Amino acid sequence: MSAETRKRLHDIIKMTNYKPSDVARSLKSQRSRLIGVIISDISTPFSSALISGISSVFDSAGYVPLFVNCNNNAQKERAFIRDLVSRGVEGLLVNTCSYENPDLIEMECKGLPVVLCDRPVKDYNFNIVTSEVVHPISSLISHLKSQGFSVPYFFTQQLSSSSVRMLRHDAFIDSIEKIYDVADPIEYIRNTRIDKQGITKKYLNEILTQTQGTPAVLGSNTMTTIHLINELSQIGAKIPYDIGVCGPDDWSWGQQLDWAGLILPGITTYVIESDEIGRQSAKLLLDIIRNPQSEKTAVYLKPEIIIRSSTLLKG
Amino acid sequence: MSAETRKRLHDIIKMTNYKPSDVARSLKSQRSRLIGVIISDISTPFSSALISGISSVFDSAGYVPLFVNCNNNAQKERAFIRDLVSRGVEGLLVNTCSYENPDLIEMECKGLPVVLCDRPVKDYNFNIVTSEVVHPISSLISHLKSQGFSVPYFFTQQLSSSSVRMLRHDAFIDSIEKIYDVADPIEYIRNTRIDKQGITKKYLNEILTQTQGTPAVLGSNTMTTIHLINELSQIGAKIPYDIGVCGPDDWSWGQQLDWAGLILPGITTYVIESDEIGRQSAKLLLDIIRNPQSEKTAVYLKPEIIIRSSTLLKG
DNA sequence: TTGTAGGCGTTATCAG
DNA sequence: CTGATAACGCCTACAA
């Protein structure tokens, strides 16, 4: 291109204030540089860290992640999947809120690059980045046993929306069967709700009064665990002397902040690094977009257990 | 349309598995139903709640909010603004990380509907939904005085990226001038960093040893306040007997969870309802899109102060 | 080196 | 009521 033409062009661009339209470009090129990211519930710290990890990867790769929030509504999730695909996204990163997900399976079968974040779905092997479920839970339970707690109780919110919750539930049952040699593990499950007053408190009072030895409780996630601590402090129970408390921590923001250490007496947890799940799943999706023929991949992060005072009966 | 034609059409749609393309539709109709939402730092609980509020409004209005994360990088923010506009968004909701923002001003002048979330920018009246700054801070300081604390110190992270931080800084200075009758208010500002070890602890140790009477500290936001509590607990200072602690709480998830009450001894705060800021700013943007001629609007939420043990020296 | 024609998938318009 | 055609703005390819 001659210098003269270049200048003329440049002038015209200036004059007419020309801005290329990505919409038209997408239509023509069939490439949007857009990635659809479906988040089950964006209002939790788990999602914040997840999203943060995801953005960091796509930003430096020149892709624009579009985040949408299903608010735990499987219906909405289906609609968003269709919407994003019809908007020409080149791939989908899905932190799903529906364990059964035929639409997503269909899309992936048709060749759309899909990676799941954290939560698996039923009957189909997607690419996925998640965290190990069984090992950390059984470690927690071994630890409780070694500290002399009696059989722990598992407090969980409704299982249906989160496959991870179900897996944790199952892992808990297996673990107390093996480690505590319990015959009727289902007896140690407590379905609760955070938004509804009194349910948790009722269960906790029963456990505190009827347990032989020192009881312990395990929250299915950070929200539930904090809720348990809240209720126990209102009841006036002393942790860990009256009752032990522990659970997974899916609220980590890297090392920046440590809620489980701040809330006295310090809560025993294992950390799910959601920012890392975000980063790795985003990278995996990029790999798949670049090389659509690649093998299915499942990555399992290995959480480490952090023992704090809330489960220390002995020394 | 005849029933027969309808059936035929329906069959063809089935047969060819026809899916309309929103990209092409946007190109033709010049309407995308897309809203660009620019978030300064998506990894904070403030942003989670903000996003959650924003999604709820757009979802029920049939718009799709596209969230992008600037990670406190003003450069990235500029790029995203251009990107989203060229992608045909019908409006922009901006939680900006640059106090000076000529690009955004230009867009808005050209008729693009823009609403700011939480953070104002310099020298231009945008539509904005935010929270009152001066009144709650001066109330906190009056409260500290009435409890017998000596002049409080203000701990803040770097001011440049957040206009709200600057405003709080200024409000603090004005307030201690008026309420404590301080001649040199700047002396009571401490610039700190959470990611860098030791700075905060050094300042706190100085304050604890050199203050006449009982000192108090005010964090510029939740992160800083929690950091202060962390460091104080490591130093071994007793709150509020050795030192009072308070600050704004921009981490509220409605009533669901109450960190400030959980962290003993209970922290005095005022709550910034970021989900409400999200909802109201989204609604405002929809109003503007529907009626582009409307007057500029600025909404200021009024936070309420919640007094807890961390600032109660007297009874 | 520069200019022009065709088509991406819609929708709007107009003729049959 | 139905079917054909042009245009949205860009990109590619080919012709001048």
Side-chain angles (χ1 to χ4, degrees):
Chain A
M1 189 187 303
S2 74
E4 187 192 343
T5 320
R6 154 165 281 133
K7 190 194 166 343
R8 193 162 56 84
L9 218 67
H10 190 77
D11 288 353
I12 292 175
I13 289 175
K14 274 275 166 185
M15 295 280 287
T16 60
N17 194 16
Y18 171 82
K19 297 261 170 51
S21 150
D22 279 339
V23 177
R25 183 178 291 150
S26 292
L27 180 60
K28 177 63 191 173
S29 68
Q30 306 294 58
R31 295 200 53 202
S32 61
R33 305 241 112 196
L34 255 32
I35 302 287
V37 186
I38 296 177
I39 305 288
S40 58
D41 177 3
I42 212 161
S43 71
T44 69
F46 176 87
S47 301
S48 309
L50 188 71
I51 289 175
S52 173
I54 292 169
S55 345
S56 70
V57 172
F58 286 130
D59 285 359
S60 43
Y63 280 81
V64 178
L66 305 179
F67 299 98
V68 295
N69 178 26
C70 303
N71 204 20
N72 288 325
N73 180 338
Q75 206 71 26
K76 251 184 205 165
E77 183 173 316
R78 294 188 56 170
F80 276 135
I81 291 173
R82 299 189 171 283
D83 225 71
L84 287 167
V85 169
S86 110
R87 228 119 216 167
V89 295
E90 296 182 28
L92 237 36
L93 215 52
V94 188
N95 169 234
T96 183
C97 56
S98 40
Y99 189 44
E100 306 193 27
N101 211 325
D103 282 26
L104 196 60
I105 295 173
E106 188 193 328
M107 295 287 172
E108 136 97 9
C109 288
K110 285 191 185 145
L112 182 75
V114 174
V115 172
L116 300 186
C117 285
D118 190 51
R119 300 177 172 179
V121 305
K122 196 178 167 188
D123 295 336
Y124 191 81
N125 280 326
F126 279 102
N127 296 287
I128 184 168
V129 177
T130 182
S131 199
E132 244 186 36
V133 170
V134 175
H135 179 71
I137 286 192
S138 77
S139 302
L140 273 187
I141 290 174
S142 296
H143 163 71
L144 290 174
K145 176 134 201 230
S146 75
Q147 286 291 314
F149 289 100
S150 55
V151 189
Y153 291 79
F154 185 77
F155 279 70
T156 179
Q157 301 170 71
Q158 54 171 165
L159 293 170
S160 63
S161 70
S162 160
S163 48
V164 169
R165 250 174 238 165
M166 298 194 320
L167 295 174
R168 287 182 185 155
H169 167 275
D170 295 350
F172 172 82
I173 287 186
D174 283 359
S175 299
I176 61 170
E177 261 183 328
K178 282 193 197 125
I179 296 166
Y180 275 92
D181 200 26
V182 175
D184 50 351
I186 306 286
E187 298 285 312
Y188 293 88
I189 302 292
R190 293 293 177 271
N191 289 286
T192 186
R193 289 180 55 174
I194 285 173
D195 55 338
K196 219 157 187 177
Q197 288 298 323
I199 305 183
T200 310
K201 211 168 277 169
K202 195 190 108 215
Y203 284 138
L204 286 172
N205 272 318
E206 285 172 13
I207 291 170
L208 283 164
T209 53
Q210 293 167 17
T211 305
Q212 301 217 334
T214 310
V217 290
L218 211 144
S220 65
N221 57 18
T222 304
M223 187 66 110
T224 308
T225 306
I226 290 195
H227 178 60
L228 287 171
I229 296 163
N230 252 332
E231 300 293 87
L232 285 170
S233 97
Q234 285 178 31
I235 290 175
K238 296 278 168 273
I239 304 170
Y241 311 105
D242 299 332
I243 186 165
V245 179
C246 60
D249 175 15
D250 35 27
W251 279 15
S252 87
W253 301 272
Q255 310 303 8
Q256 275 200 53
L257 203 72
D258 166 31
W259 71 267
L262 270 178
I263 294 180
L264 299 179
I267 311 301
T268 294
T269 61
Y270 60 88
V271 173
I272 317 284
E273 293 187 335
S274 47
D275 51 344
E276 187 61 22
I277 293 181
R279 273 191 298 273
Q280 295 212 19
S281 56
K283 276 186 197 148
L284 182 53
L285 185 56
L286 286 178
D287 286 348
I288 293 164
I289 290 173
R290 284 168 190 152
N291 179 9
Q293 312 304 340
S294 54
E295 291 284 302
K296 287 278 172 67
T297 310
V299 177
Y300 295 89
L301 304 187
K302 307 214 180 317
E304 251 181 87
I305 290 187
I306 302 167
I307 292 172
R308 296 202 182 79
S309 308
S310 70
T311 56
L312 287 178
L313 271 185
K314 306 178 177 170
Chain B
M1 191 190 300
S2 74
E4 188 193 341
T5 319
R6 152 165 283 133
K7 189 191 170 342
R8 193 161 56 85
L9 219 65
H10 189 79
D11 286 353
I12 292 175
I13 289 175
K14 275 276 168 185
M15 293 281 286
T16 61
N17 195 16
Y18 170 81
K19 295 263 169 52
S21 149
D22 280 338
V23 177
R25 185 176 291 155
S26 292
L27 179 61
K28 179 65 191 169
S29 68
Q30 307 294 56
R31 295 201 55 205
S32 62
R33 305 240 113 196
L34 254 33
I35 302 287
V37 186
I38 296 177
I39 304 288
S40 57
D41 176 4
I42 212 162
S43 71
T44 69
F46 176 87
S47 301
S48 310
L50 188 72
I51 290 174
S52 172
I54 291 168
S55 345
S56 71
V57 171
F58 286 130
D59 285 358
S60 43
Y63 280 81
V64 178
L66 305 179
F67 298 97
V68 295
N69 177 27
C70 304
N71 205 20
N72 288 325
N73 180 336
Q75 206 70 29
K76 250 183 206 166
E77 183 173 315
R78 293 188 56 172
F80 276 136
I81 291 174
R82 299 188 171 283
D83 224 72
L84 288 167
V85 168
S86 109
R87 227 122 215 165
V89 296
E90 297 182 28
L92 238 35
L93 214 53
V94 188
N95 170 233
T96 184
C97 56
S98 42
Y99 189 44
E100 307 193 25
N101 211 324
D103 283 25
L104 196 59
I105 296 173
E106 188 194 328
M107 295 288 174
E108 135 98 9
C109 287
K110 285 192 184 145
L112 182 75
V114 175
V115 172
L116 301 187
C117 286
D118 191 51
R119 300 177 173 181
V121 304
K122 196 179 167 189
D123 296 336
Y124 191 84
N125 281 324
F126 279 102
N127 296 287
I128 184 169
V129 178
T130 181
S131 198
E132 246 187 35
V133 170
V134 176
H135 179 73
I137 287 193
S138 77
S139 301
L140 273 188
I141 291 175
S142 297
H143 162 70
L144 290 174
K145 175 133 202 231
S146 75
Q147 287 291 315
F149 288 99
S150 54
V151 189
Y153 291 78
F154 184 76
F155 279 70
T156 180
Q157 300 169 72
Q158 56 171 161
L159 293 170
S160 63
S161 71
S162 159
S163 48
V164 169
R165 252 174 238 165
M166 298 196 318
L167 295 174
R168 285 181 187 158
H169 168 275
D170 296 350
F172 172 82
I173 287 186
D174 284 359
S175 299
I176 60 171
E177 262 183 328
K178 283 196 196 122
I179 296 167
Y180 274 92
D181 201 24
V182 175
D184 50 349
I186 305 287
E187 298 285 312
Y188 293 88
I189 302 293
R190 291 293 177 274
N191 289 285
T192 187
R193 289 181 55 176
I194 286 174
D195 54 338
K196 219 156 187 177
Q197 288 297 322
I199 306 182
T200 309
K201 210 168 276 169
K202 195 190 105 212
Y203 285 138
L204 286 171
N205 272 318
E206 285 172 13
I207 291 170
L208 283 163
T209 52
Q210 294 169 16
T211 305
Q212 301 218 332
T214 311
V217 289
L218 211 144
S220 66
N221 57 20
T222 303
M223 187 65 111
T224 309
T225 306
I226 291 194
H227 178 59
L228 287 171
I229 296 163
N230 252 331
E231 299 294 87
L232 285 170
S233 97
Q234 285 178 31
I235 291 175
K238 295 280 168 274
I239 302 171
Y241 311 107
D242 300 331
I243 187 165
V245 179
C246 60
D249 175 15
D250 34 27
W251 279 14
S252 86
W253 302 272
Q255 310 302 8
Q256 274 200 56
L257 202 70
D258 167 32
W259 71 267
L262 269 179
I263 294 180
L264 300 177
I267 310 300
T268 296
T269 60
Y270 61 86
V271 173
I272 316 283
E273 293 187 336
S274 48
D275 51 342
E276 186 62 21
I277 292 181
R279 274 192 296 274
Q280 293 211 20
S281 56
K283 276 186 196 148
L284 182 53
L285 185 56
L286 286 178
D287 286 349
I288 293 164
I289 290 173
R290 284 167 189 152
N291 179 9
Q293 313 303 340
S294 54
E295 292 283 305
K296 288 278 172 67
T297 310
V299 178
Y300 295 90
L301 305 187
K302 306 213 180 316
E304 252 182 87
I305 290 189
I306 302 166
I307 292 172
R308 296 201 182 80
S309 309
S310 71
T311 56
L312 287 177
L313 271 184
K314 306 178 176 172

mmCIF file with all atom_site columns, all heavy atoms in Angstrom, chain A residues 49-64:
data_model
loop_
_atom_site.group_PDB
_atom_site.id
_atom_site.type_symbol
_atom_site.label_atom_id
_atom_site.label_alt_id
_atom_site.label_comp_id
_atom_site.label_asym_id
_atom_site.label_entity_id
_atom_site.label_seq_id
_atom_site.pdbx_PDB_ins_code
_atom_site.Cartn_x
_atom_site.Cartn_y
_atom_site.Cartn_z
_atom_site.occupancy
_atom_site.B_iso_or_equiv
_atom_site.pdbx_formal_charge
_atom_site.auth_seq_id
_atom_site.auth_comp_id
_atom_site.auth_asym_id
_atom_site.auth_atom_id
_atom_site.pdbx_PDB_model_num
ATOM 1   N N   . ALA A 1 49 ? -14.532 -15.974 42.473 1.00 0.00 ? 49 ALA A N   1
ATOM 2   C CA  . ALA A 1 49 ? -13.171 -16.431 42.252 1.00 0.00 ? 49 ALA A CA  1
ATOM 3   C C   . ALA A 1 49 ? -13.088 -17.216 40.950 1.00 0.00 ? 49 ALA A C   1
ATOM 4   O O   . ALA A 1 49 ? -12.126 -17.091 40.182 1.00 0.00 ? 49 ALA A O   1
ATOM 5   C CB  . ALA A 1 49 ? -12.716 -17.290 43.420 1.00 0.00 ? 49 ALA A CB  1
ATOM 6   N N   . LEU A 1 50 ? -14.109 -18.016 40.683 1.00 0.00 ? 50 LEU A N   1
ATOM 7   C CA  . LEU A 1 50 ? -14.166 -18.776 39.438 1.00 0.00 ? 50 LEU A CA  1
ATOM 8   C C   . LEU A 1 50 ? -14.080 -17.831 38.240 1.00 0.00 ? 50 LEU A C   1
ATOM 9   O O   . LEU A 1 50 ? -13.249 -18.004 37.333 1.00 0.00 ? 50 LEU A O   1
ATOM 10  C CB  . LEU A 1 50 ? -15.479 -19.563 39.389 1.00 0.00 ? 50 LEU A CB  1
ATOM 11  C CG  . LEU A 1 50 ? -15.656 -20.570 38.274 1.00 0.00 ? 50 LEU A CG  1
ATOM 12  C CD1 . LEU A 1 50 ? -14.763 -21.775 38.500 1.00 0.00 ? 50 LEU A CD1 1
ATOM 13  C CD2 . LEU A 1 50 ? -17.115 -21.019 38.182 1.00 0.00 ? 50 LEU A CD2 1
ATOM 14  N N   . ILE A 1 51 ? -14.931 -16.832 38.246 1.00 0.00 ? 51 ILE A N   1
ATOM 15  C CA  . ILE A 1 51 ? -14.999 -15.873 37.153 1.00 0.00 ? 51 ILE A CA  1
ATOM 16  C C   . ILE A 1 51 ? -13.688 -15.135 36.999 1.00 0.00 ? 51 ILE A C   1
ATOM 17  O O   . ILE A 1 51 ? -13.206 -14.904 35.885 1.00 0.00 ? 51 ILE A O   1
ATOM 18  C CB  . ILE A 1 51 ? -16.141 -14.870 37.415 1.00 0.00 ? 51 ILE A CB  1
ATOM 19  C CG1 . ILE A 1 51 ? -17.481 -15.582 37.252 1.00 0.00 ? 51 ILE A CG1 1
ATOM 20  C CG2 . ILE A 1 51 ? -16.048 -13.684 36.483 1.00 0.00 ? 51 ILE A CG2 1
ATOM 21  C CD1 . ILE A 1 51 ? -18.657 -14.717 37.617 1.00 0.00 ? 51 ILE A CD1 1
ATOM 22  N N   . SER A 1 52 ? -13.114 -14.784 38.130 1.00 0.00 ? 52 SER A N   1
ATOM 23  C CA  . SER A 1 52 ? -11.855 -14.067 38.092 1.00 0.00 ? 52 SER A CA  1
ATOM 24  C C   . SER A 1 52 ? -10.777 -14.900 37.405 1.00 0.00 ? 52 SER A C   1
ATOM 25  O O   . SER A 1 52 ? -10.041 -14.403 36.540 1.00 0.00 ? 52 SER A O   1
ATOM 26  C CB  . SER A 1 52 ? -11.472 -13.724 39.528 1.00 0.00 ? 52 SER A CB  1
ATOM 27  O OG  . SER A 1 52 ? -10.211 -13.170 39.566 1.00 0.00 ? 52 SER A OG  1
ATOM 28  N N   . GLY A 1 53 ? -10.708 -16.181 37.765 1.00 0.00 ? 53 GLY A N   1
ATOM 29  C CA  . GLY A 1 53 ? -9.756  -17.069 37.112 1.00 0.00 ? 53 GLY A CA  1
ATOM 30  C C   . GLY A 1 53 ? -10.034 -17.197 35.627 1.00 0.00 ? 53 GLY A C   1
ATOM 31  O O   . GLY A 1 53 ? -9.125  -17.144 34.795 1.00 0.00 ? 53 GLY A O   1
ATOM 32  N N   . ILE A 1 54 ? -11.300 -17.340 35.287 1.00 0.00 ? 54 ILE A N   1
ATOM 33  C CA  . ILE A 1 54 ? -11.693 -17.489 33.889 1.00 0.00 ? 54 ILE A CA  1
ATOM 34  C C   . ILE A 1 54 ? -11.313 -16.255 33.083 1.00 0.00 ? 54 ILE A C   1
ATOM 35  O O   . ILE A 1 54 ? -10.700 -16.353 32.017 1.00 0.00 ? 54 ILE A O   1
ATOM 36  C CB  . ILE A 1 54 ? -13.216 -17.746 33.783 1.00 0.00 ? 54 ILE A CB  1
ATOM 37  C CG1 . ILE A 1 54 ? -13.559 -19.127 34.356 1.00 0.00 ? 54 ILE A CG1 1
ATOM 38  C CG2 . ILE A 1 54 ? -13.689 -17.625 32.344 1.00 0.00 ? 54 ILE A CG2 1
ATOM 39  C CD1 . ILE A 1 54 ? -15.047 -19.368 34.542 1.00 0.00 ? 54 ILE A CD1 1
ATOM 40  N N   . SER A 1 55 ? -11.650 -15.065 33.605 1.00 0.00 ? 55 SER A N   1
ATOM 41  C CA  . SER A 1 55 ? -11.350 -13.855 32.819 1.00 0.00 ? 55 SER A CA  1
ATOM 42  C C   . SER A 1 55 ? -9.869  -13.713 32.574 1.00 0.00 ? 55 SER A C   1
ATOM 43  O O   . SER A 1 55 ? -9.466  -13.292 31.491 1.00 0.00 ? 55 SER A O   1
ATOM 44  C CB  . SER A 1 55 ? -11.819 -12.555 33.478 1.00 0.00 ? 55 SER A CB  1
ATOM 45  O OG  . SER A 1 55 ? -12.709 -12.735 34.492 1.00 0.00 ? 55 SER A OG  1
ATOM 46  N N   . SER A 1 56 ? -9.063  -14.033 33.579 1.00 0.00 ? 56 SER A N   1
ATOM 47  C CA  . SER A 1 56 ? -7.640  -13.783 33.409 1.00 0.00 ? 56 SER A CA  1
ATOM 48  C C   . SER A 1 56 ? -7.095  -14.561 32.213 1.00 0.00 ? 56 SER A C   1
ATOM 49  O O   . SER A 1 56 ? -6.303  -14.042 31.443 1.00 0.00 ? 56 SER A O   1
ATOM 50  C CB  . SER A 1 56 ? -6.880  -14.129 34.687 1.00 0.00 ? 56 SER A CB  1
ATOM 51  O OG  . SER A 1 56 ? -6.870  -15.522 34.876 1.00 0.00 ? 56 SER A OG  1
ATOM 52  N N   . VAL A 1 57 ? -7.555  -15.794 32.055 1.00 0.00 ? 57 VAL A N   1
ATOM 53  C CA  . VAL A 1 57 ? -7.060  -16.606 30.941 1.00 0.00 ? 57 VAL A CA  1
ATOM 54  C C   . VAL A 1 57 ? -7.559  -16.089 29.587 1.00 0.00 ? 57 VAL A C   1
ATOM 55  O O   . VAL A 1 57 ? -6.779  -15.889 28.652 1.00 0.00 ? 57 VAL A O   1
ATOM 56  C CB  . VAL A 1 57 ? -7.473  -18.080 31.112 1.00 0.00 ? 57 VAL A CB  1
ATOM 57  C CG1 . VAL A 1 57 ? -7.136  -18.885 29.870 1.00 0.00 ? 57 VAL A CG1 1
ATOM 58  C CG2 . VAL A 1 57 ? -6.782  -18.670 32.325 1.00 0.00 ? 57 VAL A CG2 1
ATOM 59  N N   . PHE A 1 58 ? -8.847  -15.840 29.482 1.00 0.00 ? 58 PHE A N   1
ATOM 60  C CA  . PHE A 1 58 ? -9.388  -15.423 28.183 1.00 0.00 ? 58 PHE A CA  1
ATOM 61  C C   . PHE A 1 58 ? -8.881  -14.043 27.784 1.00 0.00 ? 58 PHE A C   1
ATOM 62  O O   . PHE A 1 58 ? -8.639  -13.779 26.606 1.00 0.00 ? 58 PHE A O   1
ATOM 63  C CB  . PHE A 1 58 ? -10.916 -15.444 28.203 1.00 0.00 ? 58 PHE A CB  1
ATOM 64  C CG  . PHE A 1 58 ? -11.462 -16.836 28.155 1.00 0.00 ? 58 PHE A CG  1
ATOM 65  C CD1 . PHE A 1 58 ? -12.425 -17.253 29.056 1.00 0.00 ? 58 PHE A CD1 1
ATOM 66  C CD2 . PHE A 1 58 ? -11.009 -17.740 27.213 1.00 0.00 ? 58 PHE A CD2 1
ATOM 67  C CE1 . PHE A 1 58 ? -12.927 -18.540 29.019 1.00 0.00 ? 58 PHE A CE1 1
ATOM 68  C CE2 . PHE A 1 58 ? -11.505 -19.037 27.167 1.00 0.00 ? 58 PHE A CE2 1
ATOM 69  C CZ  . PHE A 1 58 ? -12.467 -19.430 28.072 1.00 0.00 ? 58 PHE A CZ  1
ATOM 70  N N   . ASP A 1 59 ? -8.744  -13.160 28.758 1.00 0.00 ? 59 ASP A N   1
ATOM 71  C CA  . ASP A 1 59 ? -8.248  -11.826 28.444 1.00 0.00 ? 59 ASP A CA  1
ATOM 72  C C   . ASP A 1 59 ? -6.906  -11.901 27.744 1.00 0.00 ? 59 ASP A C   1
ATOM 73  O O   . ASP A 1 59 ? -6.699  -11.271 26.713 1.00 0.00 ? 59 ASP A O   1
ATOM 74  C CB  . ASP A 1 59 ? -8.100  -11.000 29.722 1.00 0.00 ? 59 ASP A CB  1
ATOM 75  C CG  . ASP A 1 59 ? -9.451  -10.541 30.233 1.00 0.00 ? 59 ASP A CG  1
ATOM 76  O OD1 . ASP A 1 59 ? -10.458 -10.864 29.580 1.00 0.00 ? 59 ASP A OD1 1
ATOM 77  O OD2 . ASP A 1 59 ? -9.493  -9.866  31.270 1.00 0.00 ? 59 ASP A OD2 1
ATOM 78  N N   . SER A 1 60 ? -6.006  -12.715 28.306 1.00 0.00 ? 60 SER A N   1
ATOM 79  C CA  . SER A 1 60 ? -4.684  -12.706 27.697 1.00 0.00 ? 60 SER A CA  1
ATOM 80  C C   . SER A 1 60 ? -4.649  -13.525 26.415 1.00 0.00 ? 60 SER A C   1
ATOM 81  O O   . SER A 1 60 ? -3.693  -13.443 25.658 1.00 0.00 ? 60 SER A O   1
ATOM 82  C CB  . SER A 1 60 ? -3.619  -13.188 28.694 1.00 0.00 ? 60 SER A CB  1
ATOM 83  O OG  . SER A 1 60 ? -4.085  -14.309 29.387 1.00 0.00 ? 60 SER A OG  1
ATOM 84  N N   . ALA A 1 61 ? -5.716  -14.273 26.134 1.00 0.00 ? 61 ALA A N   1
ATOM 85  C CA  . ALA A 1 61 ? -5.748  -15.021 24.880 1.00 0.00 ? 61 ALA A CA  1
ATOM 86  C C   . ALA A 1 61 ? -6.524  -14.261 23.800 1.00 0.00 ? 61 ALA A C   1
ATOM 87  O O   . ALA A 1 61 ? -6.673  -14.745 22.682 1.00 0.00 ? 61 ALA A O   1
ATOM 88  C CB  . ALA A 1 61 ? -6.372  -16.390 25.105 1.00 0.00 ? 61 ALA A CB  1
ATOM 89  N N   . GLY A 1 62 ? -7.041  -13.100 24.137 1.00 0.00 ? 62 GLY A N   1
ATOM 90  C CA  . GLY A 1 62 ? -7.760  -12.302 23.146 1.00 0.00 ? 62 GLY A CA  1
ATOM 91  C C   . GLY A 1 62 ? -9.199  -12.730 22.919 1.00 0.00 ? 62 GLY A C   1
ATOM 92  O O   . GLY A 1 62 ? -9.825  -12.328 21.950 1.00 0.00 ? 62 GLY A O   1
ATOM 93  N N   . TYR A 1 63 ? -9.729  -13.531 23.825 1.00 0.00 ? 63 TYR A N   1
ATOM 94  C CA  . TYR A 1 63 ? -11.142 -13.878 23.747 1.00 0.00 ? 63 TYR A CA  1
ATOM 95  C C   . TYR A 1 63 ? -11.935 -13.045 24.746 1.00 0.00 ? 63 TYR A C   1
ATOM 96  O O   . TYR A 1 63 ? -11.393 -12.589 25.753 1.00 0.00 ? 63 TYR A O   1
ATOM 97  C CB  . TYR A 1 63 ? -11.349 -15.359 24.062 1.00 0.00 ? 63 TYR A CB  1
ATOM 98  C CG  . TYR A 1 63 ? -11.049 -16.271 22.899 1.00 0.00 ? 63 TYR A CG  1
ATOM 99  C CD1 . TYR A 1 63 ? -9.738  -16.632 22.593 1.00 0.00 ? 63 TYR A CD1 1
ATOM 100 C CD2 . TYR A 1 63 ? -12.076 -16.755 22.101 1.00 0.00 ? 63 TYR A CD2 1
ATOM 101 C CE1 . TYR A 1 63 ? -9.463  -17.464 21.522 1.00 0.00 ? 63 TYR A CE1 1
ATOM 102 C CE2 . TYR A 1 63 ? -11.807 -17.592 21.027 1.00 0.00 ? 63 TYR A CE2 1
ATOM 103 C CZ  . TYR A 1 63 ? -10.497 -17.933 20.743 1.00 0.00 ? 63 TYR A CZ  1
ATOM 104 O OH  . TYR A 1 63 ? -10.241 -18.746 19.683 1.00 0.00 ? 63 TYR A OH  1
ATOM 105 N N   . VAL A 1 64 ? -13.204 -12.845 24.457 1.00 0.00 ? 64 VAL A N   1
ATOM 106 C CA  . VAL A 1 64 ? -14.042 -12.109 25.386 1.00 0.00 ? 64 VAL A CA  1
ATOM 107 C C   . VAL A 1 64 ? -15.039 -13.070 26.028 1.00 0.00 ? 64 VAL A C   1
ATOM 108 O O   . VAL A 1 64 ? -15.915 -13.614 25.344 1.00 0.00 ? 64 VAL A O   1
ATOM 109 C CB  . VAL A 1 64 ? -14.814 -10.985 24.664 1.00 0.00 ? 64 VAL A CB  1
ATOM 110 C CG1 . VAL A 1 64 ? -15.727 -10.250 25.637 1.00 0.00 ? 64 VAL A CG1 1
ATOM 111 C CG2 . VAL A 1 64 ? -13.832 -10.019 24.025 1.00 0.00 ? 64 VAL A CG2 1
#
